[in-house]
Amino acid sequence: MVPITAYIVTRLPRRSFLAAVGSSALSGCINSGSGGKEFTEPLELPAADEQLPLPTAADTLTEEARSGGPPKDGIPSIDEPSFLNPESVDFLDPGDPVFGVTLDGVTKAYPQKILVSHEIVNDSFGGTPVSVTYCPLTGTAQGFYRGNTEFGVSGRLINANLVMYDRTTETWWPQILATAIPGPWNEAPEIRSLQEFRLIWTTWEAWRDQHPDTQLLSTDTGHAENYSRDPYGSYNPRGGYYDSQNMLFPGRVDDDRFHPKRVVIGTRTVDSAVAFDENTLREAQVMAGKLGETPVVAVYDDRYDTGYVYQNSDEQAVRKEGGRIAVDGETYMPDTLPLARILAFDAMWFAWVGYYPATTIYA
Amino acid sequence: MPNPRLTRVRDTLGRTRATIGVTLSRRDGQLIFGLVTMAYLIGYLWTIGQLAVGLGGFGITLVADPLLVLGQSEGAFSYRPVARIALGQVTYLASLNTLIGGGVAALVGLNLSMSYLAWRHPAACGIRQSSSGVIAGLPALLSGTACCGPVVLLAVGIQASSTLLAVFQFLLPLAVVLLLGSLVLVGRHLPVDRR
């Protein structure tokens, strides 16, 4: 963004203005989301060691893609984000949701009310390029390492979920699946999964209290948007699409065991998936379950009102003790148990069961 | 030898132009036209979210390359904003949508001002009464649904199918066609004394 005065000084003569408007309107092929950047280098994308599961053949998923309304990059990613210190933030209420993360010693938070208009932020942490992504229709916030490319919004939905594309090979990457599938712009991509990192879905108040040194994504995004307006509804308090039984776009499967928008904390590995109902976890604090044949344990973290999932292969005793979690007699903070943590994230139930129909659910 | 069909079209368009001219030359016609056009434009911008409650404060911010962004589509007949204008509690996003909405609003304004005059002053200023004038109001009501997008479906519990999305894409041009057709219809059925 530039101040209006700066623009007035450099404005074009009227004839040039009209010519430029005409050519822009007619061309219709501007890569709007990338800010004019070109990605001509071969794609170097940090891939996961093993491909994550797909619910059906990749080609079939491609056929399930439908238009969400906007065209490619019609929902523009933020490619040059800027950040604020907490004391400068005056546009968030304490209860407004943010997606927080600490990577390479840098702590940042991304307000849901900004991401609902952009869905992807191409950012970096200590020089490591990452994409912070959010799909409002499925309630999923996921972080990805993006190597030497950027991700953009394809405008297509599968399972009502954001389908991203990379700007080097134009391969489709459904967000929740985090795995390449063929698409019209790249019909034979290498099928592999992205490396992910956890974004904590919490409130601005909770995140700021835990991380007073955090940076917060600024509304100065390079785009002219109204960041007080969420076209789908509201999270503070919850309302509209986020709370309604009604769907804008259908999920992949019909499953009426729970409210479709009920929030679960899900995790998946190569051959299985498990989800824990967030409300139940909040009450129980600790829940044991199985991911395939592997015992796992979910623990609640009241600092952020979120949960984590750990492998518990030796089925050690895990229980809540005061504000901490006890594992075999020693106590730890919920996010630092001496067990192998598995990446998990919040998702609406319909979205999770749509992509992982064989999931185990603990509720 | 003049083509009779062409002559009829010319005559119809001439009558429409004359009716518009008479309507806009009257003070009450101007008032109705202005009020309806402004109200419809505000309603249009509100329903597409480009005039809405904002984060507060006052100021104007412009995207770095407004000429590039101006023509970038964010959907059917919908364009990306180039400026955010904060007016206290209300925020206005400036884009080509304002021009599109302004055009539709002007057509609605013309239709309703002509209908109003036909109803209120049937014999005044050369516009004689005709029941057809009321028809002009109908496309305006229909075009009001042209700007709401699929989110409106949530309220009525309908999922957005490919067919429905395609229908939504055509509502705006359909409204324009109907409004233009309505103007011509009114022009043809409301004879104007060209004195």
Side-chain angles (χ1 to χ4, degrees):
Chain A
M1 296 286 194
V2 294
I4 185 72
T5 46
Y7 172 63
I8 289 170
V9 169
T10 59
R11 70 184 175 191
L12 295 172
R14 186 167 179 271
R15 186 171 295 175
S16 305
F17 174 88
L18 292 174
V21 170
S23 62
S24 297
L26 290 172
S27 62
C29 56
I30 299 157
N31 191 348
S32 57
S34 64
K37 276 185 246 171
E38 291 187 4
F39 295 88
T40 53
E41 296 295 314
L43 180 61
E44 292 174 11
L45 197 58
D49 293 338
E50 293 181 296
Q51 186 206 307
L52 289 168
L54 296 177
T56 182
D59 288 348
T60 307
L61 284 172
T62 307
E63 290 167 13
E64 291 178 14
R66 60 172 64 219
S67 170
K72 179 185 182 186
D73 285 324
I75 296 174
S77 60
I78 298 172
D79 302 326
E80 293 177 7
S82 58
F83 292 86
L84 299 169
N85 295 321
E87 56 271 18
S88 310
V89 176
D90 60 0
F91 65 93
L92 286 182
D93 288 330
D96 285 347
V98 297
F99 315 127
V101 61
T102 299
L103 279 180
D104 293 338
V106 180
T107 301
K108 294 183 180 180
Y110 301 82
Q112 182 270 344
K113 62 166 56 172
I114 294 180
L115 263 67
V116 73
S117 298
H118 299 284
E119 303 195 357
I120 296 175
V121 183
N122 290 302
D123 197 1
S124 62
F125 279 72
T128 303
V130 301
S131 291
V132 169
T133 70
Y134 167 62
C135 177
L137 293 174
T138 53
T140 41
Q142 294 169 255
F144 301 107
Y145 293 93
R146 63 181 170 91
N148 64 347
T149 191
E150 287 178 351
F151 286 102
V153 179
S154 71
R156 312 299 171 89
L157 300 170
I158 301 174
N159 193 33
N161 180 229
L162 159 70
V163 177
M164 312 182 296
Y165 78 95
D166 75 70
R167 290 188 171 136
T168 301
T169 67
E170 304 222 309
T171 297
W172 279 6
W173 302 86
Q175 184 212 27
I176 292 177
L177 297 175
T179 301
I181 63 167
W185 313 323
N186 187 340
E187 295 178 349
E190 181 186 350
I191 306 297
R192 53 186 172 153
S193 299
L194 297 170
Q195 277 187 20
E196 301 175 74
F197 59 87
R198 172 74 187 265
L199 293 169
I200 293 179
W201 183 316
T202 185
T203 62
W204 170 229
E205 180 178 42
W207 188 257
R208 186 186 51 197
D209 286 351
Q210 294 301 318
H211 303 279
D213 59 339
T214 189
Q215 300 172 48
L216 184 91
L217 180 67
S218 163
T219 57
D220 187 7
T221 59
H223 302 278
E225 299 286 348
N226 181 352
Y227 294 116
S228 81
R229 180 178 175 272
D230 182 333
Y232 304 105
S234 160
Y235 272 106
N236 185 24
R238 189 180 292 257
Y241 174 84
Y242 308 126
D243 195 39
S244 169
Q245 288 270 4
N246 295 338
M247 303 287 292
L248 269 176
F249 298 91
R252 291 190 69 251
V253 300
D254 287 326
D255 184 300
D256 57 3
R257 281 179 284 173
F258 305 110
H259 189 298
K261 314 292 175 52
R262 189 161 169 175
V263 178
V264 299
I265 297 171
T267 183
R268 72 284 200 239
T269 56
V270 176
D271 51 12
S272 48
V274 65
F276 295 88
D277 172 56
E278 192 177 60
N279 284 337
T280 309
L281 180 61
R282 188 180 293 117
E283 285 177 22
Q285 302 282 316
V286 177
M287 294 172 75
K290 281 199 166 183
L291 176 58
E293 295 303 314
T294 306
V296 294
V297 61
V299 295
Y300 177 72
D301 189 341
D302 55 11
R303 294 171 301 171
Y304 304 108
D305 186 30
T306 192
Y308 314 102
V309 179
Y310 294 87
Q311 278 185 27
N312 190 13
S313 304
D314 298 334
E315 301 194 61
Q316 297 184 71
V318 180
R319 60 189 167 77
K320 181 85 173 178
E321 195 170 290
R324 294 165 71 87
I325 303 292
V327 181
D328 277 352
E330 291 288 321
T331 63
Y332 306 87
M333 295 307 289
D335 56 347
T336 59
L337 303 194
L339 300 170
R341 203 159 111 189
I342 315 168
L343 187 128
F345 54 88
D346 292 15
M348 292 176 183
W349 166 246
F350 86 86
W352 186 260
V353 75
Y355 269 148
Y356 305 107
T359 186
T360 309
I361 170 75
Y362 296 94
Chain B
M1 185 81 178
N3 183 332
R5 195 170 287 175
L6 199 61
T7 305
R8 200 184 311 159
V9 170
R10 273 196 193 133
D11 184 55
T12 301
L13 291 180
R15 281 170 180 273
T16 304
R17 264 200 307 273
T19 308
I20 291 171
V22 168
T23 303
L24 294 183
S25 68
R26 291 178 53 94
R27 187 169 283 271
D28 51 357
Q30 292 167 358
L31 188 66
I32 295 291
F33 172 75
L35 286 177
V36 170
T37 300
M38 188 54 69
Y40 189 89
L41 180 58
I42 289 172
Y44 180 86
L45 292 174
W46 194 272
T47 50
I48 64 171
Q50 298 209 337
L51 185 68
V53 172
L55 293 172
F58 292 86
I60 300 175
T61 42
L62 203 66
V63 297
D65 193 345
L67 297 183
L68 180 71
V69 173
L70 194 65
Q72 291 179 349
S73 167
E74 59 177 15
F77 303 101
S78 180
Y79 293 89
R80 296 258 294 273
V82 295
R84 179 176 58 219
I85 301 170
L87 304 162
Q89 290 304 304
V90 173
T91 292
Y92 163 63
L93 304 178
S95 73
L96 282 182
N97 297 337
T98 300
L99 284 181
I100 293 171
V104 177
L107 286 174
V108 174
L110 272 178
N111 270 285
L112 288 193
S113 55
M114 283 161 61
S115 296
Y116 169 79
L117 286 182
W119 166 70
R120 192 73 180 84
H121 305 288
C125 287
I127 296 179
R128 294 200 291 271
Q129 188 172 21
S130 167
S131 59
S132 303
V134 180
I135 295 171
L138 298 178
L141 296 176
L142 175 63
S143 69
T145 65
C147 49
C148 303
V151 174
V152 76
L153 300 178
L154 188 64
V156 289
I158 299 174
Q159 286 183 3
S161 65
S162 302
T163 311
L164 205 54
L165 280 178
V167 168
F168 265 89
Q169 289 182 7
F170 288 109
L171 278 180
L172 184 64
L174 177 68
V176 171
V177 168
L178 287 175
L179 284 164
L180 285 172
S182 170
L183 274 185
V184 172
L185 198 68
V186 174
R188 202 171 69 174
H189 286 273
L190 286 179
V192 174
D193 294 338
R194 299 183 207 179
R195 288 176 289 197

